[in-house]
Amino acid sequence: VPYRVEKPWGYELIWALTDRYVGKVLHVNAGHSLSCQYHNRKDETLHVLSGELILRIGTAEKLDERAFRAGESVRIRPGVVHQIEAITDTDVLEASTPEIDDLVRLSDRYGRS
């Protein structure tokens, strides 16, 4: 720690990893998005450090969408469907519980399952 994980939408910089919490910076390139996803156990809070994105959040049946800008934060509890799409190059600080592999993808523009 720290270490960088390349992603098709940008990269994750994992700067803290313990048995109790994880700290990451998600760098999302303009025009790219993370999977539409949820977590079974992982509880996370996102804080936009710089840039602007679209936050989609809700259920598999209905996602609300809103602009999400530098200085704003949101908590995403287990089971909540969410997706972020960068309008500009965006850096997001993520603090979460340590279940980094707890990911259920509902859709993904990069063909990941």
Side-chain angles (χ1 to χ4, degrees), residues 8 14 20 28 42-44 52 55-56 58-59 67 73 75 78 80 82 86 95 99 102 105-106 108-109 111:
I14 299 175
R20 299 186 62 194
V28 187
K42 183 178 171 186
D43 191 340
E44 64 188 2
E52 182 177 356
L55 172 66
R56 296 180 186 98
T59 66
S73 300
R75 182 177 180 189
V80 174
H82 57 286
E99 300 88 6
D102 176 20
R105 282 193 180 100
L106 301 175
D108 181 76
R109 70 167 61 170

Side-chain angles (χ1 to χ4, degrees), residues 6-80:
E6 297 298 325
K7 302 287 186 173
W9 41 260
Y11 62 86
E12 294 179 340
L13 178 65
I14 299 175
W15 54 270
L17 178 59
T18 76
D19 61 341
R20 299 186 62 194
Y21 63 87
V22 175
K24 297 180 185 180
V25 174
L26 309 176
H27 177 82
V28 187
N29 295 322
H32 288 266
S33 65
L34 279 67
S35 303
C36 183
Q37 60 187 272
Y38 68 90
H39 312 290
N40 289 308
R41 295 177 312 159
K42 183 178 171 186
D43 191 340
E44 64 188 2
T45 299
L46 305 177
H47 177 80
V48 180
L49 292 172
S50 64
E52 182 177 356
L53 54 83
I54 299 295
L55 172 66
R56 296 180 186 98
I57 190 166
T59 66
E61 294 78 29
K62 182 179 185 310
L63 289 175
D64 295 320
E65 183 175 295
R66 73 172 183 90
F68 199 57
R69 296 179 178 87
E72 294 186 275
S73 300
V74 63
R75 182 177 180 189
I76 301 174
R77 296 175 188 269
V80 174

